[in-house]
Amino acid sequence: PRDSSAALTSNLALTFREFGANVAVIDANLRSRSISTAFKLDGPGLAECLNGSSTPAEVIQSVNGVAILPSGNTNESPAE
């Protein structure tokens, strides 16, 4: 990932998972979608949960045993 915080988050999540921990990651950066991009996730996510069109249970995806709530489909202006 190009974003250092995304790289750190991704690596920590995968490392904790290797040691048997249950791990969930939420990509709350609606502008850059760095976690979603790092894990190659697309589709609905946090944005849809916030606007009420989906629930977390519907959009959480699992990658290598890590539960990830991707950022979702956003407008150019996440405040909208």
Side-chain angles (χ1 to χ4, degrees):
R2 85 189 157 145
D3 181 357
S4 62
S5 62
L8 177 64
T9 301
S10 302
N11 289 332
L12 280 174
L14 293 170
T15 300
F16 279 120
R17 185 63 198 136
E18 284 180 15
F19 284 101
N22 292 324
V23 180
V25 175
I26 300 172
D27 187 358
N29 189 338
L30 299 179
R31 287 202 169 118
S32 75
R33 307 181 69 234
S34 55
I35 297 294
S36 298
T37 302
F39 284 100
K40 297 181 175 123
L41 300 176
D42 201 12
L46 179 61
E48 287 72 23
C49 292
L50 293 174
N51 72 24
S53 64
S54 296
T55 65
E58 295 171 329
V59 297
I60 290 175
Q61 300 180 40
S62 180
V63 177
N64 296 328
V66 176
I68 302 173
L69 177 59
S71 60
N73 302 312
T74 59
N75 298 333
E76 288 185 21
S77 174
E80 294 177 8

